[in-house]
Amino acid sequence: MEYRKLGNSELELSTITYGAFAIGGTMWAGTDKKDAIDSIHASIDHGVTTIDTAPFYGFGLSEEMIGEAVKSHDRSKVQLLTKFGLVWDGSNNGKGDYFFDADDNGKKVPIYKYSSKQNVIKEIEESLKRLQTDYIDLLQIHWPDITTPISETMEAVETLIQQGKIRAFGVSNYNVSQIQEAQKTVQVVSDQVAYSMLNRKIEEELIPFTVAENIGIIAYSPMERGLLTGKYFLDSKLKENDHRNGYFGKFDLQQVKTLIEELSSLAHSKHVSISQLVLRWTTLQKGIAVVLAGARNAEQAISNAKTMDFDLSPSELEFINQAIAKIK
């Protein structure tokens, strides 16, 4: 495994970071708790020391399972990353910016973006309990909340830093101007944003800015929620309450299938999986600090960790880039 310093912080994160969205089960057609906890243990045992989660993932379940798993490891050698700002329990009393309705076992739960100072403090206390720790290595705002001044949110963050409850602060899904506004109050060390072979929009404006400012990019959805594994084209049966039924529809699936077929020859020659090839390419892109990779069992976790066991030459990267360029 390779470890990278995150932006202008003191944090050293594993380049492949465990992404804990799917194990929460919400929007992913449920979860298997034993498999999920096993995947966390396997990740840590194979060098993936960084785990990224959020209260929204499983309405607290993801954080709870991580807390249970991590307590048997050396906490000082594991970096816990979580977020705040998505409210589902009604505690916002209708305040905030309505986001969408999440499916919770057939029940529609309204989700709000809400990052008032009071809510930030409340959420962090809840996360600390679920994670069974007294500090969070990197706290991130999950999504911008247009109903709360950024300065108010950041004042709460600054308080948490002073109290020693968080080591560093990052944003998620923030654009350049929002980061600049946040920086007026608190040091921003990272921005967690969507980035993949099929979605490279951040290369236009965000990456040049974050590189210049020494802010690390944490790339989420590098596999486009499993689409780039190629498994979808072998068995396209997703459960009814799996959000990917709609998510995959925004892509030209034939073009994606062609891309995977082109990359298969290179993956085969290097004795790696398509998933590992896609993740490795992502880790080598300009401005990317760490890459989130989800795992729902130990086998997937170990495969993700082994992504860093090989490298890609300039000619191999060019081959991959030419294949990606054919996607419109």
Side-chain angles (χ1 to χ4, degrees):
M1 182 54 62
E2 179 182 308
Y3 302 90
R4 298 178 180 175
K5 190 168 178 288
L6 184 64
N8 45 25
S9 76
E10 297 302 315
L11 298 178
E12 292 272 347
L13 308 186
S14 53
T15 302
I16 296 297
T17 287
Y18 183 99
F21 183 13
I23 64 167
T26 303
M27 297 172 60
W28 291 85
T31 192
D32 183 296
K33 185 175 180 179
K34 181 183 182 303
D35 282 350
I37 291 176
D38 285 348
S39 74
I40 298 167
H41 286 307
S43 294
I44 296 172
D45 290 342
H46 287 79
V48 175
T49 61
T50 310
I51 303 171
D52 178 86
T53 185
F56 168 68
Y57 302 161
F59 303 132
L61 179 60
S62 177
E63 288 187 327
E64 288 173 359
M65 290 188 293
I66 290 167
E68 183 175 334
V70 170
K71 68 182 179 181
S72 62
H73 296 269
D74 185 342
R75 174 68 179 90
S76 68
K77 296 180 180 179
V78 178
Q79 302 84 47
L80 295 180
L81 285 49
T82 195
K83 309 177 187 76
F84 66 84
L86 288 190
V87 179
W88 70 86
D89 60 2
S91 61
N92 58 317
N93 296 315
K95 298 178 182 179
D97 179 21
Y98 170 76
F99 196 7
F100 68 103
D101 284 341
D103 184 286
D104 182 24
N105 296 316
K107 178 184 177 182
K108 296 298 181 182
V109 179
I111 309 299
Y112 288 83
K113 302 173 189 175
Y114 186 51
S115 297
S116 71
K117 186 172 184 178
Q118 180 181 6
N119 185 65
V120 175
I121 302 299
K122 168 184 174 293
E123 285 201 52
I124 274 41
E125 292 302 325
E126 292 171 345
S127 289
L128 288 170
K129 289 180 182 178
R130 287 190 288 256
L131 291 167
Q132 300 186 44
T133 187
D134 56 3
Y135 71 95
I136 292 163
D137 294 277
L138 179 72
L139 181 66
Q140 305 155 93
I141 181 170
H142 207 152
W143 284 88
D145 167 23
I146 61 173
T147 69
T148 302
I150 290 177
S151 59
E152 177 184 333
T153 302
M154 299 309 142
E155 285 172 8
V157 170
E158 185 63 30
T159 297
L160 292 167
I161 292 174
Q162 293 171 356
Q163 292 174 342
K165 293 180 179 179
I166 62 176
R167 292 181 62 196
F169 173 71
V171 295
S172 182
N173 301 299
Y174 259 40
N175 60 32
V176 171
S177 63
Q178 289 165 334
I179 295 175
Q180 291 173 324
E181 182 63 28
Q183 284 180 310
K184 293 178 181 178
T185 306
V186 68
Q187 182 182 50
V188 175
V189 306
S190 61
D191 191 4
Q192 183 175 146
V193 286
Y195 181 71
S196 75
M197 290 180 171
L198 307 180
N199 177 14
R200 302 174 68 176
K201 295 177 183 177
I202 64 171
E203 293 177 355
E204 298 172 7
E205 182 181 8
L206 187 62
I207 290 290
F209 171 78
T210 55
V211 168
E213 294 288 319
N214 192 20
I215 293 172
I217 290 291
I218 299 176
Y220 75 77
S221 292
M223 302 301 304
E224 289 298 353
R225 309 191 187 189
L227 182 61
L228 286 171
T229 65
K231 295 177 182 177
Y232 178 78
F233 300 104
L234 299 175
D235 181 7
S236 61
K237 294 179 181 179
L238 295 171
K239 293 182 179 179
E240 186 178 347
N241 58 339
D242 191 318
H243 77 289
R244 292 175 294 178
N245 284 300
Y247 184 81
F248 289 168
K250 69 180 185 178
F251 300 103
D252 185 322
L253 296 180
Q254 184 54 54
Q255 286 192 343
V256 176
K257 183 179 181 181
T258 299
L259 171 64
I260 292 171
E261 290 171 349
E262 286 196 45
L263 297 182
S264 294
S265 60
L266 177 58
H268 181 74
S269 70
K270 297 186 76 67
H271 307 289
V272 300
S273 68
I274 287 292
S275 298
Q276 290 170 327
L277 188 70
V278 171
L279 287 174
R280 192 68 177 107
W281 174 89
T282 311
T283 68
L284 294 170
Q285 300 310 297
K286 183 178 181 180
I288 303 300
V290 300
V291 178
L292 300 188
R296 303 189 74 165
N297 55 53
E299 181 183 4
Q300 292 174 354
I302 294 170
S303 175
N304 289 341
K306 289 184 176 181
T307 290
M308 300 306 294
D309 290 354
F310 70 98
D311 210 340
L312 293 170
S313 68
S315 62
E316 289 169 337
L317 285 169
E318 180 59 25
F319 172 80
I320 295 172
N321 289 335
Q322 288 180 359
I324 295 171
K326 297 175 185 177
I327 299 260
K328 297 180 180 179

